[in-house]
Protein backbone atom coordinates (compact mmCIF):
# COMPACT_ATOMS: atom_id res chain seq x y z
CA UNK A 1 0.00 0.00 0.00
CA UNK A 2 1.38 3.37 -1.09
CA UNK A 3 1.13 6.23 1.39
CA UNK A 4 0.70 9.64 -0.20
CA UNK A 5 2.97 12.26 1.29
CA UNK A 6 1.62 15.76 1.94
CA UNK A 7 2.48 18.41 -0.60
CA UNK A 8 3.30 21.87 0.74
CA UNK A 9 3.36 25.22 -1.01
CA UNK A 10 6.58 26.40 0.61
CA UNK A 11 9.86 24.58 -0.02
CA UNK A 12 10.95 25.09 3.59
CA UNK A 13 7.73 23.43 4.82
CA UNK A 14 8.24 20.49 2.48
CA UNK A 15 11.82 19.99 3.67
CA UNK A 16 10.82 20.10 7.33
CA UNK A 17 7.93 17.70 6.74
CA UNK A 18 10.09 15.26 4.72
CA UNK A 19 12.79 15.30 7.39
CA UNK A 20 10.27 14.70 10.18
CA UNK A 21 8.61 11.78 8.42
CA UNK A 22 12.01 10.24 7.70
CA UNK A 23 12.68 10.34 11.44
CA UNK A 24 9.34 8.60 12.03
CA UNK A 25 10.40 5.86 9.61
CA UNK A 26 13.79 5.55 11.27
CA UNK A 27 12.28 5.37 14.77
CA UNK A 28 10.01 2.49 13.69
CA UNK A 29 12.53 0.65 11.48
CA UNK A 30 12.71 -2.37 13.81
CA UNK A 31 8.97 -3.08 13.41
CA UNK A 32 7.16 -5.01 10.71
CA UNK A 33 6.30 -3.16 7.49
CA UNK A 34 2.62 -3.14 8.43
CA UNK A 35 3.26 -1.56 11.83
CA UNK A 36 5.65 0.96 10.28
CA UNK A 37 3.00 1.99 7.76
CA UNK A 38 0.28 2.24 10.42
CA UNK A 39 2.35 4.59 12.57
CA UNK A 40 3.50 6.58 9.54
CA UNK A 41 -0.11 7.04 8.36
CA UNK A 42 -1.21 8.09 11.83
CA UNK A 43 1.42 10.84 12.00
CA UNK A 44 0.79 11.79 8.38
CA UNK A 45 -2.98 12.09 8.93
CA UNK A 46 -2.50 14.14 12.08
CA UNK A 47 -0.27 16.63 10.26
CA UNK A 48 -2.61 16.76 7.24
CA UNK A 49 -5.73 17.45 9.31
CA UNK A 50 -3.98 20.06 11.43
CA UNK A 51 -2.67 21.84 8.33
CA UNK A 52 -6.21 21.94 6.86
CA UNK A 53 -7.43 23.79 9.96
CA UNK A 54 -4.62 26.32 10.21
CA UNK A 55 -6.94 29.15 9.13
CA UNK A 56 -4.84 32.18 8.22
CA UNK A 57 -1.68 30.98 9.98
CA UNK A 58 1.46 30.85 7.86
CA UNK A 59 2.02 27.34 6.49
CA UNK A 60 5.57 27.04 7.86
CA UNK A 61 4.62 28.34 11.31
CA UNK A 62 1.63 26.03 11.45
CA UNK A 63 3.74 23.00 10.51
CA UNK A 64 6.35 23.85 13.13
CA UNK A 65 3.62 24.15 15.78
CA UNK A 66 2.17 20.75 14.78
CA UNK A 67 5.57 19.05 14.88
CA UNK A 68 6.34 20.62 18.23
CA UNK A 69 3.08 19.22 19.65
CA UNK A 70 3.75 15.78 18.18
CA UNK A 71 7.22 15.73 19.71
CA UNK A 72 10.49 14.12 18.70
CA UNK A 73 9.75 10.74 17.00
CA UNK A 74 12.79 9.16 18.66
CA UNK A 75 11.25 9.89 22.08
CA UNK A 76 7.47 9.77 21.68
CA UNK A 77 7.54 6.53 19.66
CA UNK A 78 9.90 4.67 22.00
CA UNK A 79 7.17 3.13 24.26
CA UNK A 80 4.95 2.30 21.27
CA UNK A 81 7.79 0.66 19.33
CA UNK A 82 8.80 -1.35 22.41
CA UNK A 83 5.22 -2.58 22.89
CA UNK A 84 4.74 -3.41 19.20
CA UNK A 85 8.07 -5.25 19.09
CA UNK A 86 7.10 -7.30 22.13
CA UNK A 87 3.78 -8.16 20.49
CA UNK A 88 5.63 -9.25 17.32
CA UNK A 89 8.13 -11.32 19.32
CA UNK A 90 5.50 -13.23 21.32
CA UNK A 91 3.45 -13.85 18.17
CA UNK A 92 6.28 -15.13 15.94
CA UNK A 93 8.58 -16.70 18.58
CA UNK A 94 11.46 -15.36 16.46
CA UNK A 95 14.62 -15.19 18.67
CA UNK A 96 15.84 -12.02 16.94
CA UNK A 97 12.52 -10.25 17.62
CA UNK A 98 12.51 -11.54 21.21
CA UNK A 99 15.94 -10.12 22.05
CA UNK A 100 15.20 -6.80 20.34
CA UNK A 101 11.89 -6.55 22.22
CA UNK A 102 13.54 -7.23 25.58
CA UNK A 103 16.28 -4.66 24.93
CA UNK A 104 13.66 -2.06 23.97
CA UNK A 105 11.66 -2.85 27.12
CA UNK A 106 14.56 -2.70 29.58
CA UNK A 107 13.31 0.63 30.93
CA UNK A 108 9.74 -0.66 31.34
CA UNK A 109 10.38 -2.82 34.39
CA UNK A 110 12.86 -5.16 36.04
CA UNK A 111 10.81 -8.18 34.93
CA UNK A 112 12.05 -7.71 31.34
CA UNK A 113 15.65 -7.82 32.57
CA UNK A 114 14.74 -11.06 34.36
CA UNK A 115 13.40 -12.53 31.10
CA UNK A 116 16.55 -11.41 29.29
CA UNK A 117 18.66 -13.30 31.86
CA UNK A 118 16.49 -16.41 31.41
CA UNK A 119 17.10 -16.36 27.66
CA UNK A 120 20.82 -15.92 28.26
CA UNK A 121 20.80 -19.08 30.37
CA UNK A 122 19.77 -20.98 27.24
CA UNK A 123 23.20 -20.18 25.80
CA UNK A 124 24.59 -22.36 28.61
CA UNK A 125 22.99 -25.35 26.90
CA UNK A 126 24.49 -24.28 23.58
CA UNK A 127 27.92 -24.07 25.23
CA UNK A 128 27.51 -27.59 26.66
CA UNK A 129 26.68 -28.95 23.20
CA UNK A 130 29.95 -27.63 21.77
CA UNK A 131 31.84 -28.69 24.88
CA UNK A 132 30.46 -32.24 24.47
CA UNK A 133 31.81 -32.38 20.91
CA UNK A 134 35.33 -31.48 22.02
CA UNK A 135 35.32 -33.28 25.40
CA UNK A 136 32.80 -36.15 25.14
CA UNK A 137 34.11 -38.00 28.21
CA UNK A 138 34.01 -35.02 30.58
CA UNK A 139 30.77 -33.30 29.50
CA UNK A 140 27.30 -34.68 30.13
CA UNK A 141 24.75 -35.59 32.78
CA UNK A 142 26.83 -37.05 35.60
CA UNK A 143 25.11 -39.11 38.29
CA UNK A 144 26.65 -40.29 41.53
CA UNK A 145 26.74 -44.07 41.57
CA UNK A 146 25.90 -44.39 45.26
CA UNK A 147 23.09 -41.83 45.20
CA UNK A 148 21.28 -41.63 41.84
CA UNK A 149 19.28 -38.59 43.01
CA UNK A 150 22.47 -36.50 42.97
CA UNK A 151 23.49 -35.37 39.48
CA UNK A 152 25.63 -32.75 37.78
CA UNK A 153 24.87 -31.30 34.36
CA UNK A 154 28.00 -29.89 32.80
CA UNK A 155 31.73 -30.47 32.76
CA UNK A 156 33.58 -32.62 35.29
CA UNK A 157 37.32 -33.14 35.34
CA UNK A 158 38.70 -36.69 35.77
CA UNK A 159 39.73 -36.06 39.40
CA UNK A 160 36.20 -34.96 40.38
CA UNK A 161 34.65 -37.94 38.63
CA UNK A 162 36.89 -40.27 40.59
CA UNK A 163 36.42 -38.36 43.86
CA UNK A 164 32.61 -38.27 43.73
CA UNK A 165 32.18 -41.57 41.91
CA UNK A 166 30.03 -40.22 39.09
CA UNK A 167 29.35 -41.57 35.63
CA UNK A 168 27.77 -39.97 32.56
CA UNK A 169 24.42 -41.52 31.63
CA UNK A 170 23.26 -39.84 28.40
CA UNK A 171 26.23 -40.60 26.17
CA UNK A 172 25.42 -39.89 22.52
CA UNK A 173 21.93 -38.74 23.54
CA UNK A 174 23.35 -35.74 25.41
CA UNK A 175 23.35 -33.36 22.39
CA UNK A 176 19.78 -34.27 21.27
CA UNK A 177 18.65 -33.88 24.91
CA UNK A 178 20.22 -30.40 25.11
CA UNK A 179 18.65 -29.36 21.81
CA UNK A 180 15.26 -30.52 23.07
CA UNK A 181 15.81 -28.69 26.37
CA UNK A 182 16.68 -25.46 24.52
CA UNK A 183 13.53 -25.75 22.40
CA UNK A 184 11.23 -26.51 25.35
CA UNK A 185 12.62 -23.82 27.65
CA UNK A 186 12.65 -21.24 24.84
CA UNK A 187 8.95 -21.78 24.14
CA UNK A 188 8.07 -21.85 27.85
CA UNK A 189 9.91 -18.60 28.56
CA UNK A 190 8.37 -16.95 25.49
CA UNK A 191 4.89 -18.08 26.56
CA UNK A 192 5.54 -16.57 30.01
CA UNK A 193 6.62 -13.37 28.30
CA UNK A 194 3.38 -13.40 26.28
CA UNK A 195 1.39 -13.93 29.50
CA UNK A 196 3.25 -11.04 31.13
CA UNK A 197 2.35 -8.78 28.20
CA UNK A 198 -1.34 -9.75 28.33
CA UNK A 199 -1.44 -9.08 32.10
CA UNK A 200 0.10 -5.65 31.53
CA UNK A 201 -2.52 -4.86 28.87
CA UNK A 202 -5.39 -5.87 31.19
CA UNK A 203 -4.02 -3.85 34.10
CA UNK A 204 -3.58 -0.75 31.94
CA UNK A 205 -7.04 -0.98 30.34
Amino acid sequence: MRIEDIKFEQKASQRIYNDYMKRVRKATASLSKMNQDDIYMEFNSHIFEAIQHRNNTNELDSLLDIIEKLGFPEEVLKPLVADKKLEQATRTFNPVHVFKALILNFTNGISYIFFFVLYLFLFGFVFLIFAKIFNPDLVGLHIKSESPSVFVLGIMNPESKTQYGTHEILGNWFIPAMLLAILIFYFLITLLLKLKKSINQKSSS
Side-chain angles (χ1 to χ4, degrees), residues 86 98-99 102 106 109-122 188-197:
L86 188 59
V98 168
F99 277 95
L102 289 174
F106 266 179
I110 196 168
S111 60
Y112 292 107
I113 299 175
F114 173 72
F115 276 108
F116 187 77
V117 172
L118 286 179
Y119 282 111
L120 284 180
F121 274 126
L122 294 180
L188 285 176
I189 296 169
T190 307
L191 286 173
L192 285 174
L193 185 60
K194 190 172 187 176
L195 178 63
K196 158 75 177 164
K197 184 182 182 303

Side-chain angles (χ1 to χ4, degrees), residues 14-200:
Q14 194 69 53
R15 287 177 62 186
I16 292 170
Y17 164 79
N18 291 343
D19 178 69
Y20 188 81
M21 298 311 288
K22 280 181 183 177
R23 289 164 63 192
V24 172
R25 281 290 189 196
K26 189 174 181 181
T28 59
S30 63
L31 300 178
S32 66
K33 186 66 167 60
M34 185 178 69
N35 284 332
Q36 288 182 47
D37 289 344
D38 286 344
I39 295 171
Y40 189 93
M41 282 193 296
E42 189 176 338
F43 272 72
N44 204 46
S45 298
H46 190 89
I47 294 173
F48 179 79
E49 290 175 11
I51 283 291
Q52 300 307 306
H53 297 87
R54 63 187 171 94
N55 298 322
N56 295 323
T57 309
N58 179 274
E59 182 185 75
L60 180 59
D61 292 335
S62 179
L63 178 61
L64 289 172
D65 288 340
I66 296 164
I67 287 175
E68 185 178 357
K69 289 176 183 177
L70 286 173
F72 298 112
E74 299 83 2
E75 294 178 5
V76 296
L77 286 174
K78 208 170 187 178
L80 179 61
V81 169
D83 187 65
K84 291 283 187 184
K85 197 66 186 175
L86 188 59
E87 181 183 339
Q88 182 186 25
T90 54
R91 187 180 68 251
T92 63
F93 284 79
N94 186 313
V96 175
H97 295 326
V98 168
F99 277 95
K100 284 184 178 179
L102 289 174
I103 291 170
L104 288 169
N105 280 280
F106 266 179
T107 56
N108 293 338
I110 196 168
S111 60
Y112 292 107
I113 299 175
F114 173 72
F115 276 108
F116 187 77
V117 172
L118 286 179
Y119 282 111
L120 284 180
F121 274 126
L122 294 180
F123 283 103
F125 292 112
V126 177
F127 169 78
L128 288 178
I129 289 173
F130 284 101
K132 181 69 173 178
I133 295 171
F134 293 105
N135 295 288
D137 296 330
L138 304 180
V139 180
L141 180 62
H142 305 277
I143 290 185
K144 195 172 182 179
S145 303
E146 297 176 358
S147 179
S149 60
V150 178
F151 66 89
V152 175
L153 177 65
I155 305 172
M156 292 194 73
N157 58 49
E159 291 79 9
S160 297
K161 289 182 70 174
T162 304
Q163 180 181 352
Y164 296 107
T166 63
H167 64 281
E168 207 280 314
I169 61 167
L170 289 178
N172 293 332
W173 286 99
F174 180 80
I175 291 178
M178 289 300 98
L179 289 172
L180 182 61
I182 291 170
L183 190 64
I184 291 173
F185 282 113
Y186 177 80
F187 274 90
L188 285 176
I189 296 169
T190 307
L191 286 173
L192 285 174
L193 185 60
K194 190 172 187 176
L195 178 63
K196 158 75 177 164
K197 184 182 182 303
S198 64
I199 291 172
N200 287 351

